[in-house]
Amino acid sequence: MKLLAAVTVPGLKPRKKRWPRVVGIIALIIVILIACAGGYVYWLVDKSLPVIKGELAVAGLEKQVTVWRDDAGVPHIEAQSEHDLYIAQGYVTAQDRLFQMDLSRRQASGQLSEVVGAKAIDRDKFFRSFSLRRAAEASLSAYSEASKQVLEWYAQGVNDYIKQAEAKKALPVEFTILGYQPAPWEPVDSLTIGKYMAYDLAGNWEGQAFRYAMAQKLSPEKLQSLMPTYPKDGATIIQALKDHPLDLSGLAAAAVVPNPFNGSNNWVVSGEKSASGSPMLANDPHLGLATPSIWYETHLSAPDVNVSGVIFAGVPGIILGHNEQIAWGVTNLGPDVQDLYIEKRNPDNPNQFEYMGKWEDAKVYKEEIKVKGEAPVPYDVVVTRHGPIISEFAKDQQKETALAMRWTALDPTTELEAIQLFAKAQNWDDFKKSLEYFDAPAQNFVFASKDGTIAYRGNGKIPIRKNGDGSVPVPGWTDNYEWTGYIPWDELPTTVNPQEGFIATANNKVIGDSYPYHLTDSWAQPYREERIQQVLAVKDKLTVKDLQKLQFDRSNLQAEEFVDGLIAKVQENPSLRDIDQEVLKILHNWNKVNDPGQAAPLAYELWMQKFDDVLFKPDISDDMMKLFNNKAIVKDEMLRKSLQGDPEPWIDDQGGLEKVAVMALQLAVDQAVSLQGKHPDKWQWGKFHQVDFPHPLGSVKPLNLIFNAKATAMGGGRVTVGAAGWDAETGEVDHGAPWR
């Protein structure tokens, strides 16, 4: 074999490989483009950040106002008059939250399509139907001149910020991305946001609509299991539901349904049980978790006002907090303050409805929904004597049956009046008197004052019905189901300085069976309240740290009730796989605490969730499931009855509790395996159960990288005191305490 030297052709040089250089140039260009884009985004965001140092000229101020921010970024506004105080609050809040404020008023008013396009038309129609803005406009005239003036001052401050930001081209970056500018702020905008919060916390119309739909297809026995209680005149009402069918699938698909777990914890401890000798109050309202927070924290100071706490961005004052003498907090009372009425429509005139044997004309509001990039959409809102027709999304709309909604918050209400009085109250008598103005949403107020008083009050307008109990829609063509008034204000649930030395609420039943009026039969699951009672009762002297720790408590009393019984029911079943038995062993050894690092909470929570699939999916569509707002309570009661050996048609029809529990367990195990692998001992609740505080624009990639926080593991669950509700599919924690 010969080795030949390389042959060189005269005049030609060996060709160098050029691709590394090309790739390098392309990579450099990409890096430069990314850097430029990042720099542009940084510049865009930075120029819209609030000015927090130096001096600013704000139109309308009479004297100097000082605004300083603490380490948490909370603004402290110190003014020499209430006039200047509320102008400054409007200005400062707009600095921090203008986009949130604008989006909130648009959603409540049915005006989102104007800035996000046609995809929001159904949502806008939904909120136009509910008439929140019209209710806010009606409420404005009910306010005192002093409270109207506060609204005007606040709006003046917001508008001065808008004017300055537009002049400097420094509006929040979200406006630039969506390509629009905010309209001037009006006093009614603040009240409209308040009406939306009342909507978010009312939450019994959807349960009535759900049971209406189920009455068309379920046996009486199955329907009864879905009821919070059987109506006193149930046979008549249920027959009316069946005789006047209405396809609600369209409404269910389009409905913007409040989270069924909206609620809160609050408790107050007397000086006798406090290590300091002074009363202590704790509150952690449970609402959606997002960026920015639903709450805006502020300290407001003027000669006659010194109050700290939170408010919804876009509303003046402080709704939860304390002044120098008192503190107060709320949870949702959740009474039945909404009724759906089945209306008989005139087949010859779609805007007439029968009442007491005659056709009555409904009010028709002709509205126009502006749509970004498209022609406006005309929309009629029809209002009967009972309220707006909300079933116009139904497939058989304009036919002979419709649903109208009667709701306390659609009447003129004066919550802002109460908020102004809260700030200045000096004792329980002052605070209680201020509650005369707080009509909707009905809330559980707890109270503490420096004089040692602790108190509780369930407050708001709660209807008294001639017949019916708010569990299902009722006939609207007769006067048999009208409201005859409201629970007398002096007879609303109230407790002052109880012997136990503490008061706690967690959306639980707050009245005994002897209470003479109907509040609701759809209370929250009792587990948070039970755990709070356990902790507060066991210790003679409680500290601030004890209360802070309790707000994050992850003990799962629902698991304490059910898990051992369910394990005993299924552990001998021959169809269990090895991995199923391994999971049952983990659950058996569990301390019943939803810690993020444990495997058992993941197995348990998925198991409980899969009971929904096994029990309800054959009969209830995904859209209709959105309206099933008492599902958690219903499911608990079904399991409770079956574990006690009592008949339960939803479980019995599926072959009994053992079969149902095994099916649910195996579905849960399969989901956990798909999420975290085949080794249950390595599963972790916090790998699935995570919070990322999404921003409204974060749903559009890659904006999520800019606007959303990094996902973080979180303990707790829906029934723990440290509440952390989560999306059934993704595990994203979307509900809990945005403020404590």
Side-chain angles (χ1 to χ4, degrees):
M1 181 183 289
K2 294 182 178 180
L3 297 178
L4 301 176
V7 178
T8 301
V9 179
L12 294 180
K13 295 181 179 180
R15 179 176 292 179
K16 294 182 179 179
K17 295 181 179 180
R18 300 176 62 186
W19 64 267
R21 183 182 177 190
V22 172
V23 170
I25 293 172
I26 292 172
L28 180 61
I29 292 172
I30 291 172
V31 169
I32 292 172
L33 289 174
I34 291 174
C36 289
Y40 174 72
V41 169
Y42 178 82
W43 171 79
L44 202 61
V45 172
D46 184 67
K47 73 172 185 171
S48 69
L49 293 177
V51 176
I52 61 174
K53 294 182 179 180
E55 294 185 355
L56 287 172
V58 178
L61 291 181
E62 296 172 344
K63 296 183 179 180
Q64 180 174 301
V65 175
T66 300
V67 181
W68 60 276
R69 296 180 185 249
D70 59 27
D71 292 341
V74 175
H76 298 249
I77 305 173
E78 299 171 352
Q80 298 177 57
S81 69
E82 289 185 42
H83 168 275
D84 287 0
L85 179 68
Y86 290 111
I87 289 178
Q89 188 187 17
Y91 186 95
V92 171
T93 307
Q95 277 189 308
D96 290 346
R97 301 287 188 89
L98 182 61
F99 179 69
Q100 179 188 30
M101 292 163 63
D102 187 65
L103 215 60
S104 295
R105 67 173 167 175
R106 284 186 176 279
Q107 169 157 282
S109 303
Q111 298 173 354
L112 280 176
S113 300
E114 186 175 0
V115 297
V116 303
K119 60 187 176 183
I121 289 175
D122 278 350
R123 178 180 284 254
D124 282 350
K125 287 181 177 180
F126 181 82
F127 281 111
R128 299 276 179 130
S129 294
F130 272 77
S131 304
L132 300 183
R133 190 171 187 87
R134 193 172 298 110
E137 290 167 349
S139 294
L140 184 59
S141 61
Y143 278 96
S144 68
E145 290 304 314
S147 286
K148 288 179 187 176
Q149 189 64 74
V150 168
L151 286 164
E152 291 283 356
W153 291 333
Y154 185 87
Q156 184 178 339
V158 174
N159 288 329
D160 195 60
Y161 170 75
I162 292 174
K163 183 178 179 180
Q164 291 184 18
E166 287 178 339
K168 297 176 183 177
K169 300 187 184 303
L171 284 169
V173 66
E174 295 95 334
F175 291 103
T176 302
I177 292 171
L178 291 177
Y180 81 98
Q181 291 184 316
W185 196 262
E186 300 176 7
V188 74
D189 292 327
S190 297
L191 300 186
T192 301
I193 291 173
K195 292 293 184 183
Y196 179 82
M197 294 316 303
Y199 171 79
D200 205 35
L201 294 169
N204 63 302
W205 76 264
E206 60 266 34
Q208 294 178 37
F210 170 76
R211 290 183 282 274
Y212 185 8
M214 293 300 102
Q216 313 304 321
K217 61 183 298 184
L218 297 178
S219 68
E221 294 76 20
K222 277 195 163 185
L223 180 63
Q224 171 59 30
S225 287
L226 303 181
M227 294 283 186
T229 185
Y230 195 69
K232 294 182 179 66
D233 44 358
T236 303
I237 294 179
I238 300 302
Q239 191 59 46
L241 302 182
K242 293 183 177 181
D243 289 345
H244 300 85
L246 185 64
D247 183 352
L248 295 179
S249 56
L251 174 62
V256 181
V257 178
N259 192 306
F261 293 95
N262 277 349
S264 309
N265 304 317
N266 65 16
W267 58 88
V268 61
V269 175
S270 71
E272 287 73 21
K273 278 189 71 73
S274 166
S276 69
S278 296
M280 298 185 293
L281 185 146
N283 191 196
D284 55 304
H286 304 159
L287 294 165
L289 299 178
T291 299
S293 171
I294 195 168
W295 296 112
Y296 186 72
E297 187 169 5
T298 324
H299 172 210
L300 304 175
S301 178
D304 295 322
V305 178
N306 189 6
V307 62
S308 298
V310 292
I311 192 73
F312 302 114
V315 181
I318 296 295
I319 193 170
L320 309 176
H322 66 91
N323 62 26
E324 294 174 302
Q325 297 298 324
I326 69 168
W328 67 96
V330 305
T331 67
N332 195 18
L333 178 57
D336 290 331
V337 295
Q338 296 172 329
D339 273 349
L340 294 182
Y341 286 86
I342 309 165
E343 304 282 22
K344 289 183 181 179
R345 179 182 257 129
N346 186 344
D348 299 320
N349 184 341
N351 295 325
Q352 286 187 335
F353 297 86
E354 182 182 338
Y355 188 73
M356 302 303 289
K358 297 179 181 179
W359 295 117
E360 282 190 348
D361 290 330
K363 293 179 181 178
V364 181
Y365 297 91
K366 294 190 173 295
E367 304 196 5
E368 184 179 80
I369 299 174
K370 295 179 181 179
V371 183
K372 185 178 182 179
E374 298 185 17
V377 175
Y379 187 65
D380 290 351
V381 178
V382 180
V383 181
T384 74
R385 66 164 41 239
H386 297 117
I389 296 292
I390 67 165
S391 57
E392 298 296 53
F393 298 100
K395 292 179 181 178
D396 57 353
Q397 58 184 295
Q398 303 299 330
K399 290 193 176 180
E400 294 183 17
T401 300
L403 284 179
M405 187 177 72
R406 178 86 170 92
W407 176 27
T408 54
L410 293 183
D411 297 333
T413 60
T414 54
E415 290 72 45
L416 181 65
E417 200 87 39
I419 289 170
Q420 301 304 308
L421 293 171
F422 291 170
K424 298 179 180 181
Q426 298 295 296
N427 51 50
W428 171 241
D429 288 339
D430 288 350
F431 187 80
K432 184 181 177 184
K433 186 170 181 59
S434 69
L435 291 174
E436 293 181 17
Y437 297 92
F438 200 98
D439 296 330
Q443 298 287 285
N444 292 307
F445 287 85
V446 293
F447 170 93
S449 66
K450 278 191 172 181
D451 65 16
T453 303
I454 65 171
Y456 159 81
R457 171 83 173 178
N459 201 87
K461 277 190 173 179
I462 302 169
I464 298 173
R465 297 164 174 85
K466 191 173 180 180
N467 287 294
D469 60 6
S471 61
V472 291
V474 293
W477 56 86
T478 170
D479 65 357
N480 288 339
Y481 300 96
E482 299 293 1
W483 294 2
T484 60
Y486 301 96
I487 296 176
W489 190 81
D490 288 337
E491 298 183 54
L492 290 168
T494 307
T495 301
V496 180
N497 294 327
Q499 186 175 355
E500 296 85 356
F502 65 87
I503 308 167
T505 78
N507 319 116
N508 53 290
K509 186 176 180 180
V510 295
I511 53 171
D513 293 337
S514 62
Y515 188 68
Y517 301 101
H518 172 75
L519 294 183
T520 183
D521 290 306
S522 296
W523 305 102
Q525 293 163 281
Y527 306 111
R528 285 183 290 118
E529 166 68 8
E530 290 177 3
R531 178 58 181 165
I532 294 168
Q533 294 275 354
Q534 282 182 1
V535 173
L536 296 183
V538 74
K539 196 170 182 180
D540 291 334
K541 297 292 182 181
L542 293 154
T543 66
V544 170
K545 288 186 177 180
D546 290 330
L547 270 56
Q548 291 174 328
K549 182 180 178 182
L550 180 54
Q551 286 185 328
F552 286 90
D553 189 275
R554 298 164 175 167
S555 297
N556 189 329
L557 268 60
Q558 184 195 47
E560 293 275 6
E561 178 179 3
F562 289 124
V563 74
D564 291 339
L566 290 173
I567 291 172
K569 201 73 177 174
V570 303
Q571 63 186 355
E572 301 299 328
N573 191 284
S575 64
L576 291 181
R577 305 162 298 189
D578 289 344
I579 193 170
D580 301 330
Q581 293 286 7
E582 189 176 350
V583 169
L584 290 178
K585 184 177 180 181
I586 288 172
L587 286 169
H588 177 73
N589 294 326
W590 181 31
N591 63 356
K592 314 299 189 302
V593 177
N594 277 29
D595 285 329
Q598 292 196 71
L602 178 67
Y604 174 75
E605 296 291 357
L606 294 183
W607 191 7
M608 293 300 289
Q609 178 179 292
K610 293 305 179 183
F611 276 102
D612 296 359
D613 295 348
V614 176
L615 292 175
F616 303 129
K617 285 213 168 176
D619 292 303
I620 305 172
S621 69
D622 289 342
D623 284 336
M624 197 57 63
M625 196 75 80
K626 287 166 50 181
L627 303 182
F628 191 179
N629 67 344
N630 66 326
K631 180 180 66 176
I633 305 162
V634 165
K635 185 172 64 176
D636 283 352
E637 186 60 20
M638 288 178 177
L639 293 176
R640 195 172 290 123
K641 287 171 65 176
S642 283
L643 285 169
Q644 293 169 354
D646 297 331
E648 171 41 57
W650 287 85
I651 291 176
D652 297 343
D653 285 0
Q654 295 290 337
L657 181 57
E658 181 178 344
K659 183 178 178 180
V660 166
V662 168
M663 292 169 63
L665 174 66
Q666 294 185 331
L667 287 172
V669 170
D670 290 346
Q671 182 182 359
V673 167
S674 70
L675 291 168
Q676 298 187 18
K678 297 181 179 180
H679 302 286
D681 59 319
K682 295 182 180 179
W683 294 348
Q684 290 186 21
W685 177 227
K687 286 183 179 179
F688 175 69
H689 191 247
Q690 299 192 338
V691 61
D692 67 355
F693 301 101
H695 185 279
L697 299 186
S699 59
V700 181
K701 294 182 179 180
L703 295 180
N704 60 309
L705 301 177
I706 300 171
F707 289 107
N708 290 359
K710 182 180 179 181
T712 302
M714 194 167 181
R718 296 187 183 115
V719 298
T720 61
V721 177
W726 42 284
D727 181 270
E729 298 300 322
T730 66
E732 178 188 349
V733 177
D734 53 12
H735 193 266
W739 179 76
R740 295 181 175 87

